[in-house]
Amino acid sequence: MTTATQGTPTEGTATGLPRLLPRHGQQPEDWYAHVARVGRLPYRDAPGRLISDLQAAGLTGRGGAAFPVHRKLAAVLEAAQARRRPPVVIANGAESEPASDKDATLLWLAPHLVLDGLQLAAEAVGAEQAILYTHADRRNDVGRRLRQAIAQRQAVAVDRVPVELAEAPPRFLAGQETALVNHLAGGPAIPTFTPPRITERGLAGAPTLVQNVETLAHLALIARRGPRWFRQVGTEAEPGSMLCTIRRSDGVPRITEVPLGVPLRALLAGPGEQGLREGAVLIGGYHGTWVPAAEAAKLTLDNHGLRRAGARVGAGILITLPQDRCGLVETALVVRYLALESAGQCGPCLNGLPRIAAALAELAGARPRRGTRANVERWAGLVTGRGACHHPDGAARFVRSALTTFAAELGRHERGRCGATDTTPFLPVPHGSAHTEQDWI
Ligand SMILES: Cc1cc2nc3c(=O)[nH]c(=O)nc-3n(C[C@H](O)[C@H](O)[C@H](O)COP(=O)(O)O)c2cc1C
Ligand code: SF4
């Protein structure tokens, strides 16, 4: 769990940015400050117009999968009309990835932008119910802040679709869309098998639209300023900006709004530094990819640019691992956490992830047995694509990238040594605090 507080530092990196967060100060924006900054809600009840604006803007989801937003809205609208069933719209602010803090920061500083986006999306698909799902533990009183924001909106009668708040449990899978729907229906926050897709049959059987809270904030600005404005930053194929949670060697999470396509070197070097001095960079969080720093310095932050390193933008998490830490120890701690977070309902995930975690703990220690590395590679292949959700796939990607990026470190461990001079855990891992270096070395 991130230790960031309500004052997580925020930065913008290009002309016209930040767009989403208030430019000055760290104070939450009330309704009047919000309207003064971005203007009133634009057109209402105009599903065709919003969907075509989103298509022209090329907005993709900012919750990790980068799926085109207009296609999801269109699918929900079509299912609702075909079945004559009003849909449900859910803003996903669970931010269940421990290394991320961008959604909590957005909700804290600019709650009305997210609520505008939720409202516009709900009206566009003809929903009668809208839900804002957030992680209760992330910030001391983000729940109180959101309740105040909703009450302010009721006072000025801006919302036509009523908005409820719902609490996400502090589990890695709680933000996965079918887990979220299951939880809101009164069940555990674990994924369910698809089909049917939730866009057809989701909460209480209704067509359900789930969008990340940052996605909805972009949607609210596109509705006001138009697709051409949105495309002023970013690349032709991946337009716009995104919020990133960046941890440099001081370990402090900083929220930065960046144009897609920005060189990673510019983001990760730190103020006043020329290049990337650190050993490795984690791109995309705990379902993401370790990349050697020298290679990361040549990449750009967009899915096309990251592909050659086998990485993806994901939810915009970028972490530089300082040279005095051991990437194998860090990876082993995270994979142990990921294994514990498995919903335990698919065999390969239930049995495979704990095995991989135990083998990685061995690799992170002194003189691992011959064959352990090969076993990890084989098991990572066996769990991929075998679960009801993408949890094992993401964990396997993370593990494989560690084996190649930290190959030299693996060699040192085989000789009974470890390159780390600082053994305190660097990556934020909820279950990791109970461990000492003795567990690994
Ligand atoms: C294990 C797992 C955890 C996820 N956690 C989140 C989350 O915390 N927040 C989020 O917005 N999306 C999360 N997602 C993605 C959601 O399932 C869903 O794709 C997303 O909320 C859709 O919004 P978007 O299209 O606006 O990104 C997660 C997916 C997986 C596989
Ligand atoms: S793949 Fe793993 S985490 Fe996903 S539903 Fe199956 S057991 Fe649960």
Side-chain angles (χ1 to χ4, degrees), residues 166-181:
E167 225 173 76
R171 302 300 304 261
F172 191 79
L173 294 168
Q176 196 273 351
E177 61 188 17
T178 60
L180 169 168
V181 164

PDB file of all heavy atoms in Angstrom, residues 166-181:
ATOM      1  N   ALA A 166     -19.570   3.532  -3.285  1.00  0.00           N
ATOM      2  CA  ALA A 166     -19.393   2.146  -2.810  1.00  0.00           C
ATOM      3  C   ALA A 166     -17.925   1.924  -2.494  1.00  0.00           C
ATOM      4  O   ALA A 166     -17.051   2.537  -3.112  1.00  0.00           O
ATOM      5  CB  ALA A 166     -19.859   1.163  -3.879  1.00  0.00           C
ATOM      6  N   GLU A 167     -17.687   1.061  -1.531  1.00  0.00           N
ATOM      7  CA  GLU A 167     -16.329   0.848  -1.043  1.00  0.00           C
ATOM      8  C   GLU A 167     -15.678  -0.388  -1.652  1.00  0.00           C
ATOM      9  O   GLU A 167     -16.256  -1.474  -1.643  1.00  0.00           O
ATOM     10  CB  GLU A 167     -16.399   0.644   0.466  1.00  0.00           C
ATOM     11  CG  GLU A 167     -15.352   1.420   1.206  1.00  0.00           C
ATOM     12  CD  GLU A 167     -15.569   1.323   2.687  1.00  0.00           C
ATOM     13  OE1 GLU A 167     -15.255   0.261   3.257  1.00  0.00           O
ATOM     14  OE2 GLU A 167     -16.070   2.308   3.269  1.00  0.00           O
ATOM     15  N   ALA A 168     -14.462  -0.208  -2.156  1.00  0.00           N
ATOM     16  CA  ALA A 168     -13.703  -1.354  -2.683  1.00  0.00           C
ATOM     17  C   ALA A 168     -12.849  -1.922  -1.559  1.00  0.00           C
ATOM     18  O   ALA A 168     -12.178  -1.171  -0.865  1.00  0.00           O
ATOM     19  CB  ALA A 168     -12.805  -0.883  -3.818  1.00  0.00           C
ATOM     20  N   PRO A 169     -12.844  -3.239  -1.372  1.00  0.00           N
ATOM     21  CA  PRO A 169     -11.952  -3.798  -0.352  1.00  0.00           C
ATOM     22  C   PRO A 169     -10.488  -3.658  -0.781  1.00  0.00           C
ATOM     23  O   PRO A 169     -10.207  -3.586  -1.977  1.00  0.00           O
ATOM     24  CB  PRO A 169     -12.369  -5.267  -0.269  1.00  0.00           C
ATOM     25  CG  PRO A 169     -13.254  -5.535  -1.425  1.00  0.00           C
ATOM     26  CD  PRO A 169     -13.644  -4.245  -2.061  1.00  0.00           C
ATOM     27  N   PRO A 170      -9.566  -3.623   0.184  1.00  0.00           N
ATOM     28  CA  PRO A 170      -8.161  -3.405  -0.167  1.00  0.00           C
ATOM     29  C   PRO A 170      -7.479  -4.662  -0.679  1.00  0.00           C
ATOM     30  O   PRO A 170      -6.556  -5.183  -0.077  1.00  0.00           O
ATOM     31  CB  PRO A 170      -7.556  -2.938   1.162  1.00  0.00           C
ATOM     32  CG  PRO A 170      -8.392  -3.579   2.200  1.00  0.00           C
ATOM     33  CD  PRO A 170      -9.771  -3.724   1.630  1.00  0.00           C
ATOM     34  N   ARG A 171      -7.941  -5.194  -1.790  1.00  0.00           N
ATOM     35  CA  ARG A 171      -7.374  -6.408  -2.384  1.00  0.00           C
ATOM     36  C   ARG A 171      -6.962  -6.117  -3.819  1.00  0.00           C
ATOM     37  O   ARG A 171      -7.590  -5.316  -4.502  1.00  0.00           O
ATOM     38  CB  ARG A 171      -8.414  -7.547  -2.375  1.00  0.00           C
ATOM     39  CG  ARG A 171      -8.956  -7.906  -1.015  1.00  0.00           C
ATOM     40  CD  ARG A 171      -7.880  -8.366  -0.054  1.00  0.00           C
ATOM     41  NE  ARG A 171      -7.118  -9.487  -0.552  1.00  0.00           N
ATOM     42  CZ  ARG A 171      -7.325 -10.755  -0.206  1.00  0.00           C
ATOM     43  NH1 ARG A 171      -8.281 -11.058   0.634  1.00  0.00           N
ATOM     44  NH2 ARG A 171      -6.553 -11.710  -0.699  1.00  0.00           N
ATOM     45  N   PHE A 172      -5.936  -6.820  -4.294  1.00  0.00           N
ATOM     46  CA  PHE A 172      -5.396  -6.553  -5.632  1.00  0.00           C
ATOM     47  C   PHE A 172      -6.451  -6.754  -6.718  1.00  0.00           C
ATOM     48  O   PHE A 172      -6.464  -6.051  -7.731  1.00  0.00           O
ATOM     49  CB  PHE A 172      -4.186  -7.463  -5.889  1.00  0.00           C
ATOM     50  CG  PHE A 172      -3.401  -7.095  -7.109  1.00  0.00           C
ATOM     51  CD1 PHE A 172      -2.508  -6.042  -7.090  1.00  0.00           C
ATOM     52  CD2 PHE A 172      -3.553  -7.800  -8.298  1.00  0.00           C
ATOM     53  CE1 PHE A 172      -1.777  -5.683  -8.220  1.00  0.00           C
ATOM     54  CE2 PHE A 172      -2.827  -7.460  -9.437  1.00  0.00           C
ATOM     55  CZ  PHE A 172      -1.939  -6.400  -9.390  1.00  0.00           C
ATOM     56  N   LEU A 173      -7.322  -7.738  -6.510  1.00  0.00           N
ATOM     57  CA  LEU A 173      -8.298  -8.061  -7.559  1.00  0.00           C
ATOM     58  C   LEU A 173      -9.563  -7.218  -7.489  1.00  0.00           C
ATOM     59  O   LEU A 173     -10.421  -7.325  -8.361  1.00  0.00           O
ATOM     60  CB  LEU A 173      -8.683  -9.538  -7.473  1.00  0.00           C
ATOM     61  CG  LEU A 173      -7.554 -10.520  -7.797  1.00  0.00           C
ATOM     62  CD1 LEU A 173      -7.947 -11.921  -7.394  1.00  0.00           C
ATOM     63  CD2 LEU A 173      -7.215 -10.473  -9.274  1.00  0.00           C
ATOM     64  N   ALA A 174      -9.682  -6.388  -6.436  1.00  0.00           N
ATOM     65  CA  ALA A 174     -10.948  -5.692  -6.211  1.00  0.00           C
ATOM     66  C   ALA A 174     -11.318  -4.741  -7.336  1.00  0.00           C
ATOM     67  O   ALA A 174     -12.488  -4.393  -7.508  1.00  0.00           O
ATOM     68  CB  ALA A 174     -10.906  -4.938  -4.884  1.00  0.00           C
ATOM     69  N   GLY A 175     -10.317  -4.290  -8.122  1.00  0.00           N
ATOM     70  CA  GLY A 175     -10.604  -3.356  -9.198  1.00  0.00           C
ATOM     71  C   GLY A 175     -10.870  -4.025 -10.535  1.00  0.00           C
ATOM     72  O   GLY A 175     -11.235  -3.357 -11.507  1.00  0.00           O
ATOM     73  N   GLN A 176     -10.690  -5.343 -10.598  1.00  0.00           N
ATOM     74  CA  GLN A 176     -10.987  -6.059 -11.857  1.00  0.00           C
ATOM     75  C   GLN A 176     -12.498  -5.993 -12.062  1.00  0.00           C
ATOM     76  O   GLN A 176     -13.269  -6.150 -11.099  1.00  0.00           O
ATOM     77  CB  GLN A 176     -10.483  -7.507 -11.734  1.00  0.00           C
ATOM     78  CG  GLN A 176     -10.362  -8.228 -13.052  1.00  0.00           C
ATOM     79  CD  GLN A 176     -11.655  -8.899 -13.496  1.00  0.00           C
ATOM     80  OE1 GLN A 176     -12.619  -8.958 -12.735  1.00  0.00           O
ATOM     81  NE2 GLN A 176     -11.684  -9.387 -14.703  1.00  0.00           N
ATOM     82  N   GLU A 177     -12.931  -5.743 -13.286  1.00  0.00           N
ATOM     83  CA  GLU A 177     -14.326  -5.332 -13.466  1.00  0.00           C
ATOM     84  C   GLU A 177     -15.364  -6.379 -13.055  1.00  0.00           C
ATOM     85  O   GLU A 177     -16.407  -6.033 -12.499  1.00  0.00           O
ATOM     86  CB  GLU A 177     -14.589  -4.823 -14.876  1.00  0.00           C
ATOM     87  CG  GLU A 177     -14.336  -5.834 -15.970  1.00  0.00           C
ATOM     88  CD  GLU A 177     -14.431  -5.213 -17.353  1.00  0.00           C
ATOM     89  OE1 GLU A 177     -14.370  -3.980 -17.486  1.00  0.00           O
ATOM     90  OE2 GLU A 177     -14.582  -6.000 -18.301  1.00  0.00           O
ATOM     91  N   THR A 178     -15.099  -7.662 -13.280  1.00  0.00           N
ATOM     92  CA  THR A 178     -16.116  -8.642 -12.872  1.00  0.00           C
ATOM     93  C   THR A 178     -16.072  -8.837 -11.350  1.00  0.00           C
ATOM     94  O   THR A 178     -17.111  -9.093 -10.721  1.00  0.00           O
ATOM     95  CB  THR A 178     -15.936 -10.004 -13.582  1.00  0.00           C
ATOM     96  OG1 THR A 178     -14.650 -10.546 -13.252  1.00  0.00           O
ATOM     97  CG2 THR A 178     -16.053  -9.888 -15.085  1.00  0.00           C
ATOM     98  N   ALA A 179     -14.880  -8.669 -10.736  1.00  0.00           N
ATOM     99  CA  ALA A 179     -14.779  -8.749  -9.273  1.00  0.00           C
ATOM    100  C   ALA A 179     -15.564  -7.605  -8.644  1.00  0.00           C
ATOM    101  O   ALA A 179     -16.284  -7.776  -7.649  1.00  0.00           O
ATOM    102  CB  ALA A 179     -13.314  -8.677  -8.849  1.00  0.00           C
ATOM    103  N   LEU A 180     -15.441  -6.453  -9.254  1.00  0.00           N
ATOM    104  CA  LEU A 180     -16.135  -5.247  -8.783  1.00  0.00           C
ATOM    105  C   LEU A 180     -17.663  -5.456  -8.845  1.00  0.00           C
ATOM    106  O   LEU A 180     -18.383  -5.189  -7.882  1.00  0.00           O
ATOM    107  CB  LEU A 180     -15.632  -4.127  -9.671  1.00  0.00           C
ATOM    108  CG  LEU A 180     -16.161  -2.734  -9.796  1.00  0.00           C
ATOM    109  CD1 LEU A 180     -15.151  -1.919 -10.578  1.00  0.00           C
ATOM    110  CD2 LEU A 180     -17.470  -2.691 -10.473  1.00  0.00           C
ATOM    111  N   VAL A 181     -18.119  -5.976  -9.967  1.00  0.00           N
ATOM    112  CA  VAL A 181     -19.559  -6.202 -10.128  1.00  0.00           C
ATOM    113  C   VAL A 181     -20.037  -7.250  -9.108  1.00  0.00           C
ATOM    114  O   VAL A 181     -21.071  -7.086  -8.456  1.00  0.00           O
ATOM    115  CB  VAL A 181     -19.882  -6.639 -11.578  1.00  0.00           C
ATOM    116  CG1 VAL A 181     -21.264  -7.250 -11.695  1.00  0.00           C
ATOM    117  CG2 VAL A 181     -19.741  -5.454 -12.525  1.00  0.00           C
TER     118      VAL A 181
END
